[in-house]
Amino acid sequence: MNFVRHFVLAAGGTGGHMIPAHALARALMERGHHVALVTDERGARIPGLFDGVQTHVLPAGRLSKSPAGLWRAGKSILAGRAMAMRLYETFRPTAVIGFGGYPALPSLLGALKAGIPTAVHEQNAVLGRVNRLLAGRVDAIATAYPEVKRLAEKHIGKVHLIGNPVRDEVLALRDQPFPTLEDDGVFRLLVTGGSQGASILSDVVPAGLAMLPLNFRRRLQVTQQCRVEDIDKVRATYAELGIPADLATYLPDLPERLGWSHLVIARAGASTIAELTAAGRPAILVPLPSATDDHQSYNVREMVAAGGARSIPQKAFTPVELGKQMQKLALEPGALANAAKRARDCGRPEAARDLADLLEGMGAAPIGGETIKMRPTPTIGTAQAFA
């Protein structure tokens, strides 16, 4: 017999936290459960996510090194925790799961104080600061990679290798063949810098494409996400080169564009890599050097080792290097299709299902005033810590 349970998902800040939480919410709701989202103001503004989910915006301070900053952050975190606990009194969640980032901290602290089962999901190959802070206190740690940096050996027993949940629209691409690429056919290139955009891509990609052989350049069709301050310059450059380009600051139909792309140039955020591997699309990845703990450089390791992507450090990401790597992938017979298959092999398409299974196995479910004990938390997979 299936019981209706209540779950609270705490995420915010960027799409990297919000998209996997959204995918989990969909999976839980499809099973008949009730879901509430706790987020911050930035997370609540991301369009196209959490339709039909009750949403609560809580204060969440960001810890800093200055005494004044710590005091302000602590005050916000305590206020957020109190608000979360008031929510739990009425919503009565079976479990609370945080997706990393400071917006998740007050909700998890409130759940711990209230004795509600808790879990965290780590999207990156480096355990984030909030997840590290709470790793010893939560009941389960779900990871997206088999090796996770900054994960203490003593916490391995509560780790479950899940993967990174992606949107249904992206998951549907997994069953579609890699787009046919004729020797003289249109070559469709997708360029995206993640939810924050990336000026380095606006600077280097058009210049790199300009260095390609003319017969290859004439085949290009580009879709590129640009920052607001870069878009006019990039549009003018492509017009001068005669390359058809569709530019936007936000791509609401990204799954569709990913589906018909032959190659993706992108940052190495966790959600980007999860979508590339779910869909099976080859990529040239440029890790963000300022990412906390350099986590994007670690995110690329599995996909690069499998042959599904090439990684170029930002300091080496020049027009010459980009042009060279593109020609290796695009002009060698079968190279792109082979890379696409290897990227797909890295995907964990059941991540949303497995994460929903994990939460369903936690704690108890209140039914009509009674408490029904659920099955023990399943072990979905294993992960390793590495230095």
Side-chain angles (χ1 to χ4, degrees), residues 79-309:
R81 185 185 71 169
M83 293 173 67
M85 292 181 70
R86 288 196 292 273
L87 168 64
Y88 302 156
E89 288 175 359
T90 56
F91 192 68
R92 298 180 66 199
T94 294
V96 176
I97 180 170
F99 285 80
Y102 289 104
L105 183 56
S107 301
L108 288 167
L109 291 175
L112 290 167
K113 187 172 179 61
I116 299 168
T118 54
V120 293
H121 179 270
E122 180 55 62
Q123 300 90 54
N124 294 297
V126 181
L127 200 65
R129 291 175 180 174
V130 168
N131 286 348
R132 289 203 302 269
L133 179 66
L134 298 176
R137 301 179 63 188
V138 298
D139 298 293
I141 302 170
T143 66
Y145 294 92
E147 293 184 336
V148 182
K149 187 176 172 64
R150 306 296 289 269
L151 173 63
E153 291 282 354
K154 62 184 178 181
H155 298 144
I156 290 295
K158 64 174 74 175
V159 171
H160 305 262
L161 175 58
I162 296 289
N164 206 350
V166 300
R167 294 169 285 183
D168 290 342
E169 303 93 319
V170 174
L171 201 56
L173 301 175
R174 192 169 181 83
D175 297 326
Q176 299 179 16
F178 183 68
T180 301
L181 181 61
E182 304 292 345
D183 290 341
D184 57 352
V186 175
F187 186 100
R188 293 185 288 271
L189 178 67
L190 175 63
V191 185
T192 175
S195 60
Q196 305 301 309
S199 288
I200 186 72
L201 299 182
S202 294
D203 294 338
V204 173
V205 173
L209 300 187
M211 304 184 76
L212 295 173
L214 182 60
N215 61 338
F216 183 18
R217 198 166 70 226
R218 285 175 173 169
R219 297 169 52 201
L220 291 172
Q221 180 177 316
V222 178
T223 296
Q224 184 162 345
Q225 177 203 16
C226 302
R227 288 178 181 264
V228 173
E229 59 268 27
D230 298 329
I231 195 165
D232 289 339
K233 176 187 67 176
V234 176
R235 182 176 286 114
T237 301
Y238 281 131
E240 183 179 341
L241 292 170
I243 297 175
D246 184 4
L247 310 181
T249 57
Y250 177 70
L251 300 172
D253 56 345
L254 183 62
E256 180 182 350
R257 295 174 185 267
L258 180 63
W260 51 248
S261 296
H262 295 109
L263 179 65
V264 179
I265 300 174
R267 284 297 196 192
S271 286
T272 296
I273 292 178
E275 292 183 346
L276 289 169
T277 56
R281 292 297 180 269
I284 295 174
L285 301 171
V286 187
L288 175 67
S290 61
T292 305
D293 297 318
D294 195 26
H295 65 252
Q296 290 199 5
S297 293
Y298 292 96
N299 288 352
V300 303
R301 287 184 170 186
E302 183 180 33
M303 192 175 177
V304 169

Side-chain angles (χ1 to χ4, degrees), residues 3-6 26-35 360:
F3 298 107
V4 174
R5 307 172 183 81
H6 293 183
R26 291 282 297 271
L28 290 170
M29 292 168 67
E30 286 173 358
R31 300 182 186 195
H33 302 310
H34 297 160
V35 176
E360 279 189 331

Side-chain angles (χ1 to χ4, degrees), residues 10-19 37-46 60 62 99-104 195-196:
T14 67
H17 297 306
M18 295 290 285
I19 289 174
L37 169 70
V38 175
T39 187
D40 61 352
E41 292 182 355
R42 286 193 303 163
R45 289 197 298 266
I46 297 177
R62 185 178 181 88
F99 285 80
Y102 289 104
S195 60
Q196 305 301 309

